Amino acid sequence: MAAILNLHNKNEALRYLNACHCFGRSPTNVDTVINAQEVSRIHAVVEWSNNQWLIRDLSNNGTWVNQHKLVKDSPHTLKVGDKIFFASGESHGVVIQDLSPPQNMLLPLGQHGEQVTQAPIILSDGNLLPNEDNPEIALFYVPSKDQWYKEFLIDTDGGAYPVANLDLLYFNHQKWQLKLTPLTENTVLMAKAKLSVEQIKYRFNLSLDEESTELTVTTDDEKFCLANKAHHYLTLSLARHRDEDAKQGIDADNQGWRLPEVLTKELGCDITLFNTHVCRAKQQFREMLDGACDGDELIERKGRKIRFAGVFYRIYKGNELIVNRGQDKVSLTVLHG
């Protein structure tokens, strides 16, 4: 993410630029306010275009880059170290500190909501915060809905709440502000054909001591072999519950629903670890299927209950096929990996 530093107060925190970032006097129309009469309401804009950062002067009194006055409304390519001045070649200046591409991030805030010098957290599409080892919140992006969500991992309800740009989050005893970069005209979305849950088949390979779980996921066109992960055992446990209900003749819409407190007791973990495994499983499905089917469609929530949504799944324990739901009889040979 591009960052600037105020030349007249170098003790200030870095300011991170939006993909289209306006400078000027108007507090309602610009991203960085310069409170001076000689500065235009919308004075200049810095924008990410064709994999580079450009600046355009839109003002009456001019914009300078390194003592060079810009031609009005003509884009100029920026470099790290460039000094930008608004309305004169001497005052209201900033220096370019970073010119990385736009990124989604969390900005740390002080006690009174001011930005502090601590480094921001750069976000991926799935994040456990403040870190993977001691998560408090899950923050993730769902491409099919073009929406960011947060989940509180201590919450037994497992609710996902939508969040938007500039929303505040609190974790690790600190406030953070969400800074999201909107899609630009340079972004090309390659949407995959939508997959239904009926088009996805699962094969769980469980070790005899139940300490290791491998998962193979197959669609009409692709096969994904997922190595042993703790969250695969959670998905397998949910699949077992669905199979139990199917054997009792419960209809498909009502199969497999369980309360988290029942599952945590079964799995011998607390609610935070349980929700963490759920988030990891859903994020892996989301990334693996590249938006063709969302993780929330494969591990479902309804009220306080949760279930595995798969229709076709096999579970092998060692070399023994112990669950064969919705599929024909098959060889008992196990293919690991």
Side-chain angles (χ1 to χ4, degrees), residues 42-323:
I42 301 177
H43 195 99
V45 61
V46 173
E47 54 195 336
W48 175 254
S49 180
N50 295 319
N51 294 316
Q52 60 185 337
W53 288 97
L54 306 173
I55 184 169
R56 285 187 296 122
D57 173 53
L58 306 175
S59 71
N60 294 321
N61 291 329
T63 300
W64 281 255
V65 176
N66 301 329
Q67 288 77 51
H68 168 72
K69 188 177 182 181
L70 300 181
V71 177
K72 188 172 182 178
D73 210 26
S74 179
H76 174 86
T77 303
L78 288 170
K79 303 184 299 296
V80 172
D82 279 350
K83 295 177 181 178
I84 305 170
F85 297 93
F86 305 96
S88 79
E90 299 176 355
S91 58
H92 317 305
V94 299
V95 59
I96 300 293
Q97 296 287 97
D98 189 300
L99 286 176
S100 303
Q103 298 178 85
N104 298 310
M105 62 173 61
L106 284 168
L107 298 176
L109 301 180
Q111 202 167 21
H112 304 292
E114 75 280 10
Q115 190 178 325
V116 296
T117 56
Q118 181 182 347
I121 296 174
I122 304 301
L123 299 174
S124 63
D125 281 357
N127 310 269
L128 292 172
L129 303 166
N131 55 60
E132 290 271 342
D133 296 327
N134 298 291
E136 299 173 27
I137 291 178
L139 181 66
F140 56 93
Y141 176 66
V142 178
S144 61
K145 299 175 183 175
D146 190 22
Q147 178 64 57
W148 283 83
Y149 293 91
K150 65 179 177 182
E151 285 187 18
F152 299 100
L153 298 178
I154 198 170
D155 188 353
T156 56
D157 293 342
Y161 304 92
V163 292
N165 188 40
L166 303 184
D167 278 359
L168 298 180
L169 282 77
Y170 185 82
F171 57 87
N172 201 28
H173 309 294
Q174 186 171 352
K175 286 182 183 177
W176 301 78
Q177 185 174 51
L178 185 60
K179 187 175 178 66
L180 299 176
T181 301
L183 297 175
T184 70
E185 70 276 5
N186 297 317
T187 304
V188 179
L189 293 177
M190 302 297 289
K192 278 195 170 186
K194 185 70 177 172
L195 284 173
S196 68
V197 293
E198 291 81 9
Q199 292 175 281
I200 304 171
K201 297 179 174 64
Y202 308 82
R203 175 180 176 137
F204 298 92
N205 291 333
L206 181 63
S207 64
L208 290 173
D209 59 7
E210 302 208 2
E211 291 294 320
S212 170
T213 309
E214 297 172 351
L215 174 60
T216 301
V217 179
T218 307
T219 68
D220 293 340
D221 302 315
E222 294 179 281
K223 182 177 180 179
F224 307 92
C225 298
L226 310 179
N228 176 42
K229 295 286 183 182
H231 58 258
H232 295 334
Y233 189 76
L234 172 122
T235 309
L236 179 147
S237 299
L238 293 173
R240 278 174 159 169
H241 281 295
R242 178 153 191 162
D243 181 61
E244 289 167 9
D245 288 356
K247 287 174 178 174
Q248 293 177 24
I250 297 173
D251 65 278
D253 288 341
N254 293 303
Q255 289 171 10
W257 294 107
R258 296 293 188 272
L259 288 166
E261 45 264 50
V262 172
L263 295 164
T264 54
K265 188 175 180 180
E266 235 177 55
L267 296 168
C269 64
D270 62 21
I271 191 63
T272 300
L273 183 56
F274 174 82
N275 284 331
T276 299
H277 285 328
V278 171
C279 287
R280 285 174 174 154
K282 289 197 288 190
Q283 185 64 29
Q284 187 167 35
F285 285 138
R286 192 177 292 124
E287 292 173 353
M288 177 183 68
L289 298 172
D290 200 17
C293 191
D294 185 56
D296 289 324
E297 298 172 77
L298 304 180
I299 298 180
E300 298 178 298
R301 299 262 194 183
K302 182 171 68 174
R304 295 188 61 244
K305 293 185 176 180
I306 188 170
R307 76 162 180 178
F308 173 62
V311 178
F312 303 113
Y313 51 96
R314 299 185 185 121
I315 300 175
Y316 287 85
K317 188 169 183 178
N319 289 327
E320 181 184 1
L321 178 63
I322 60 173
V323 171

